[in-house]
């Protein structure tokens, strides 16, 4: 079975090549992101393996189907970039990797919190430059603070446990609460209470029509003054312009993001020698209380092992005419 793997980075090739033995699969690696203009690379491959910023909208799916592609294997959990209805209509099953390491993402959310709070990235640069001054490096104790977890699925749960370990009070909100979490001393509240009472709010819900811009002018105004907002989920959960406004007004105290609304074409690329033509991102980068990483929360060795193993198993199941719980789009 031939697989066209889009948006590949050196670590993708390293991991997939090391897991290929005995599968009978052949992988053709393409650096380009998948979109209408690059879909033609998939010709001759039965499977397209795609990542978070590959475009799997209706016209791309139609083109892939025309080229003979039979299956879409996402090597990520989120599938907001896939038009599932179109995939169903064109008979292309879509598989994903729903859980590869909730710990990887939850731990990165904690890294953003610690970085923003204790300013280790700034201290590192100062010390390297011979500046041993401590001015403007004051942080706060996490112990005793209230942490709001928006979305208590696989990642949100691990994140809640980690923050509980720091001695934080944990408030939760989810459309489908998990009652077992109450036994740990965590409390489910309504969204309004979560926003009003959290010193730190971390987003762990998927991006869908109903969650798009869930953080906007209205919800930001309900947050505590000087609160910290963390997003390791999907950029579209936050209305970035509204967040910038809240930062300007000193309503929002800190913003830590691993994902950004307009990250396609920017995140995952080395643009060091280029002018990044994104004024919103430039404004965000100019704030001293904003910490941005480029969608790296998943990037641990353990997570890469799981992503590779499960993606290849999904393809193998498809080849053998099987389905499994990782399928998100059922052909019509
Ligand atoms: P999950 O499916 O286990 O949990 C999501 C939770 O959100 C569920 O409990 C669900 O009930 C809740 N939810 C859904 N809609 C809601 C709404 N409207 N209001 C309140 N709660 C709602 O997902 P998991 O594995 O915890 O991942 C969460 C997100 O993290 C993914 O959707 C993905 O976008 C993101 N992610 C980011 C990564 C990164 O590298 N930055 C890597 C992996 C995932």
């Amino acid at each position: 079975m031939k697989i066209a793997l889009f948006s590949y980075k050196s670590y993708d090739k390293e991991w997939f090549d090391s897991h290929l033995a005995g599968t009978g699969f052949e992988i053709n690696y393409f650096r380009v992101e998948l979109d209408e203009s690059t879909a033609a690379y998939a010709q001759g491959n039965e499977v397209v393996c795609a990542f978070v910023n590959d475009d799997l909208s209706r016209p791309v799916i139609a083109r892939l189907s025309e080229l003979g592609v039979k299956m879409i294997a996402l090597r990520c959990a989120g599938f907001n970039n896939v038009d599932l209805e179109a995939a169903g209509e064109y008979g292309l099953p879509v598989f994903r990797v729903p859980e590869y390491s909730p710990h990887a993402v939850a731990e990165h959310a904690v890294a953003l919190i610690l970085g923003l709070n204790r300013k280790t990235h700034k201290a590192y640069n100062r010390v390297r430059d011979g500046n041993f001054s401590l001015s403007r490096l004051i942080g706060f104790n996490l112990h005793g603070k209230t942490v709001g977890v928006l979305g208590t699925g696989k990642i949100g749960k691990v994140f809640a446990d980690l923050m509980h370990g720091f001695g934080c009070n944990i408030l939760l909100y989810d459309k489908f609460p998990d009652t077992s979490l109450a036994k740990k001393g965590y409390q489910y509240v309504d969204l309004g209470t979560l926003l009003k009472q959290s010193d730190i709010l971390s987003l762990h819900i998927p991006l869908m029509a109903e969650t798009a811009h869930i953080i906007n002018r209205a919800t930001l105004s309900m947050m505590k003054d000087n609160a910290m907002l963390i997003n390791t989920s999907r950029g579209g959960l936050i209305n970035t312009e509204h967040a910038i406004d809240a930062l300007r007004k000193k309503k929002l105290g800190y913003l830590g993001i691993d994902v950004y609304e307009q990250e396609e074409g920017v995140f995952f690329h080395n643009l060091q020698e280029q002018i990044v033509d994104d004024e919103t991102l430039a404004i965000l980068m100019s704030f001293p209380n904003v910490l941005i990483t480029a969608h790296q929360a998943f990037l641990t060795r353990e997570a890469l092992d799981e992503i590779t193993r499960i993606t290849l198993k999904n393809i193998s199941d498809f080849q053998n005419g099987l389905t499994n719980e990782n399928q998100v789009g059922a052909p019509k």
Side-chain angles (χ1 to χ4, degrees), residues 13 26 53 96 104 120 133 186 276 307:
K13 187 162 168 27
E26 179 186 326
N53 290 331
R96 65 174 179 141
T120 41
S133 144
Y186 310 161
V276 179
I307 289 171

Side-chain angles (χ1 to χ4, degrees), residues 145-147 149 159-160 163-164 168-172 185-187:
K145 295 295 181 299
T146 297
V147 173
V149 186
F159 174 76
M163 296 315 292
H164 190 239
C168 298
N169 308 314
I170 307 297
L171 294 183
L172 314 168
Y186 310 161
Q187 193 190 349

Side-chain angles (χ1 to χ4, degrees), residues 207-217 219 235-240 242 261:
L207 177 61
M208 303 177 289
E210 73 171 294
T211 59
H213 286 185
I214 193 164
I215 301 299
N216 54 45
R217 206 180 304 288
T219 46
L237 295 176
I238 298 181
N239 181 320
T240 314
H242 293 184
E261 267 190 286

